[in-house]
């Protein structure tokens, strides 16, 4: 992916995923772990976010503006569930940060169901708590 400074706001997320997939995938950075034709599905997400993205570059393009909305400072609560027979890994984890425009805390929990083939992530289904996003960004606006 070359220069990854555009993605610094996501570094804690990248680290927790790399920790959860350690020994199963190859690559120095999060994007290196993804197959060129990876499919990422956002099953439980927020309005306006795509439901499905195909390709490593498309994922990078989607994540590029993340730091304009949210900046993460940590990630934890990692639980890893592996099924070697199906090459599926389920990661449970939490991320913590703040919304850029409101300054409000952002704490969210995720479940990511990941399929690995040839030491690359080929399919990713993501589930998050959309209410945590709404609270952080102040949507919908509270009545006055």
């Amino acid at each position: 992916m070359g220069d990854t400074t555009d993605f610094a706001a996501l570094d804690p997320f990248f680290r927790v995923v790399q920790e959860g997939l350690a020994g199963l995938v190859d690559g120095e950075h999060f994007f290196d772990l993804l197959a060129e034709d990876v499919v990422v599905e956002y099953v439980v997400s927020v309005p306006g976010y795509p439901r499905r993205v195909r390709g490593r570059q498309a994922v990078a393009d989607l994540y590029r503006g993340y730091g304009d909305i949210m900046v993460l400072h940590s990630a934890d609560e990692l639980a890893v569930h592996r099924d070697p027979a199906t090459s599926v890994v389920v990661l449970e984890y939490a991320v913590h940060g703040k919304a850029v425009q409101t300054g409000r805390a952002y704490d969210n929990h995720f479940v990511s169901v990941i399929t690995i083939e040839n030491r690359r992530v080929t399919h990713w289904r993501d589930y998050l708590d959309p209410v945590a996003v709404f609270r952080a960004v102040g949507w919908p606006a509270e009545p006055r």
Side-chain angles (χ1 to χ4, degrees):
M1 290 305 306
D3 183 15
T4 58
T5 56
D6 286 352
F7 306 100
L10 282 161
D11 281 348
F13 160 73
F14 294 151
R15 281 192 296 273
V16 79
V17 167
Q18 287 176 286
E19 181 182 344
L21 298 179
L24 302 173
V25 293
D26 295 325
E28 294 295 315
H29 189 272
F30 171 81
F31 296 114
D32 299 331
L33 312 179
L34 305 178
E36 190 69 38
D37 60 348
V38 65
V39 172
V40 180
E41 296 179 276
Y42 302 96
V43 180
V44 177
S45 190
V46 297
Y49 215 70
R51 302 296 285 177
R52 181 182 173 99
V53 176
R54 177 179 287 278
R56 180 188 312 146
Q57 187 60 54
V59 174
D61 291 344
L62 179 64
Y63 289 0
R64 188 171 309 282
Y66 189 87
D68 296 336
I69 298 164
M70 207 78 70
V71 175
L72 303 180
H73 58 72
S74 64
D76 55 22
E77 300 182 38
L78 177 63
V80 179
H81 313 279
R82 297 179 180 171
D83 183 352
T86 62
S87 300
V88 171
V89 178
V90 176
L91 301 182
E92 298 178 71
Y93 52 94
V95 299
H96 313 282
K98 72 175 186 171
V100 173
Q101 289 189 359
T102 65
R104 291 181 182 171
Y106 174 61
D107 297 289
N108 208 335
H109 290 81
F110 292 77
V111 174
S112 298
V113 181
I114 299 165
T115 303
I116 298 170
E117 295 176 17
N118 300 317
R119 301 192 59 81
R120 293 281 187 260
V121 173
T122 58
H123 192 255
W124 184 302
R125 283 189 319 267
D126 211 40
Y127 302 79
L128 62 81
D129 176 5
V131 175
V133 177
F134 301 156
R135 284 186 188 127
V137 299
W139 185 87
E142 295 184 25
R144 294 179 185 220

